[in-house]
Amino acid sequence: MAAKKSVLALLTSAGLLATTACTSSSNGNGTLPRPGRLTTTTAPGTAEVDRITWALPYGEPTTLDPAKIGDYSPQTVEANLCDTLTRMNADFSLSPGLAQQVTWADDHTLVLDLRPGVTFWDGSPMTPEDVIHSLERQRDPRTQALYGNYLAAVTSIKATGPHQVTLGTQGYDQTLPKALATSFGAVSQKAYTEKAGPAYGTARGGLMCTGPFKLGTWKSGNGITLERNDAYWDTGLKPKAKQVEFRFITNNNTLTSALLSGEVDGTYELPPSSATALGKAGNGAVHLGPSTQNVLLIPANAESPAADRTLLDALSLVIDRDALIRNVFGGDAIILKSLVPPLTWRGDKAAARFDAAYAALPDAPKPDAEKAKKLVARARPLSHPLVAAIPAGDQRGLQALTFVQAAAKEIGVDIEIKQLQPTEMSSLFYDPSVRKGLDLILTFGYVTMPDPASYVAESVTPRGLFNWTGYDNPEVTRLLDQARTSSDPAASASAYAEAQALFTPTTPAVFLAGTHERMFMNKRISGAPTSFAYMGMPWAAHLGGTAK
């Protein structure tokens, strides 16, 4: 490249998700807003509050270590604790974070100009050494980090000034600066992290970060409390809540009662069954926001007969997606045609090219039991019922999988549902031993940044963390690498589009739906983002009282 490119200038100007002017609260007769009525945030909360109580419907986190979190509960909490080098906004655009500027000096040099005056919770200054250590530990095998692949093209990470870190790379990597807005780009204090060792991020080991809240108490099996960081560097985002208490409530009925009574102020990932009751609540409102979530049915390992794409095609043919969305998701979802929902690339400069390629994909099939039976006859023989996993207590997952189970029975495929404890369910995504004995997993996945190619690569390339069946198409791998390394947005989108046309009909997965974000919030508070961007931004710092 002949001229420097400021990554933040490019990304901040293009929000991923468009905000509509429609209200996001339920209407007078208690029905929920329809898909066209999505918002990205709520009205600002203006008053200070002593405490806000928030539910985690997916249960207790196993860790809050930014290098190791990859699930709903830990990311919901950690996003308020550990600031990232760039910051995700409610509309999925990016803005400066701990790095006030991110610049490609040339195709092999990414420069991070750090914000001066940032301190950790203990009052010590954030230094380039803390940033370097936070990034380097992600590729240290002892860390068991989830995001080391983002550093695959990085050859060096060095301090190049009192407030500057420079990454040397093998070549241009459009994913790398975007990843800095995820937990991959979170900065922890080097000295504290080294002292805590493997316990870092646990209830015993604690954390040391720079975020708007600091970790207070963590009572395993009970809850996590965050305390306001009164010395927070971003004075424009100083929290109005003195404390935020997270409670682990995995039972839908218990969650609904706690929200209706005001015992709990709010929750993300509100189950549809709870939303029906809470749509009529007088003490708060249900809000819908845009999301990058995807609902998939995927095989657990290569040895399972469920890894046979012919069998998966049969299941895909017998599932009535319209009925699934209507009956399980309350109509608040879209039919999914590939691995990544279209909203993922909404703010990309080549969004029109992405849209055209997605539109060109075949529509999801309409139910055809007779055709599906013929595919079953051609598939690998089944000697036992397929064991399919969901989290225990997840009524939405249970309803969806029961729906799939009933459809499969029509074509002679027996599915046995196994409910795993939330911690076990979270672990199976990263630990192959937990997936032994399982055939299928119903996943509620999500894309954490505006970069479809890097997300897909984790599922369809040989090095992918979620490629559990050994799927390997060299042309798909080449095209996804090309999409990642092209500095031309149009060329990157074209490479992804070619890869998408190849992996969509061949990768072992059944694409079901893309859901909207559903959140409930008590009317005494406001300010929470309603989009799925909450997973990567300090959302609780936006909350404040309403005097209602």
Side-chain angles (χ1 to χ4, degrees), residues 32-54:
L32 295 174
R34 299 274 59 87
R37 305 179 66 191
L38 308 180
T39 58
T40 57
T41 192
T42 55
T46 57
E48 285 210 355
V49 290
D50 288 332
R51 174 179 291 231
I52 290 172
T53 305
W54 208 263

Side-chain angles (χ1 to χ4, degrees), residues 443-522:
T443 69
F444 289 80
Y446 50 86
V447 188
T448 57
M449 59 180 171
D451 185 33
S454 64
Y455 176 85
V456 167
E458 294 291 357
S459 296
V460 303
T461 62
R463 65 179 180 267
L465 183 63
F466 305 123
N467 184 1
W468 303 335
T469 61
Y471 179 88
D472 185 5
N473 182 323
E475 182 65 3
V476 168
T477 300
R478 184 189 71 79
L479 288 165
L480 290 176
D481 285 342
Q482 183 178 329
R484 178 169 178 165
T485 57
S486 176
S487 58
D488 176 12
S492 177
S494 293
Y496 176 79
E498 287 185 56
Q500 179 182 245
L502 293 174
F503 70 71
T504 297
T506 57
T507 189
V510 179
F511 315 122
L512 296 175
T515 61
H516 301 310
E517 179 54 46
R518 187 186 279 108
M519 182 264 285
F520 178 85
M521 186 169 57
N522 193 289

Side-chain angles (χ1 to χ4, degrees), residues 297 311 314-319 369-370 372-373 376 382 385-386 401-416 440:
L297 190 65
L311 179 62
L315 292 174
S316 181
L317 260 175
V318 79
I319 296 171
E370 292 307 311
K373 288 177 183 177
V376 171
L382 300 176
L386 299 176
L401 195 49
T402 301
F403 188 95
V404 172
Q405 181 188 50
K409 194 170 185 64
E410 290 183 44
I411 55 174
V413 176
D414 291 329
I415 294 179
E416 176 185 314
L440 290 166

Side-chain angles (χ1 to χ4, degrees), residues 131-154:
V131 174
I132 293 168
H133 182 262
S134 296
L135 292 173
E136 287 284 12
R137 71 185 290 262
Q138 309 240 16
R139 55 181 173 186
D140 183 342
R142 293 172 298 178
T143 306
Q144 296 181 316
L146 302 180
Y147 308 107
N149 278 351
Y150 291 143
L151 294 170
V154 174

Side-chain angles (χ1 to χ4, degrees), residues 240-262:
K240 295 180 177 64
K242 296 178 182 178
Q243 286 187 335
V244 177
E245 179 185 348
F246 291 97
R247 295 187 186 176
F248 320 135
I249 306 178
T250 58
N251 181 277
N252 287 4
N253 293 332
T254 303
L255 176 62
T256 303
S257 297
L259 292 169
L260 284 171
S261 68

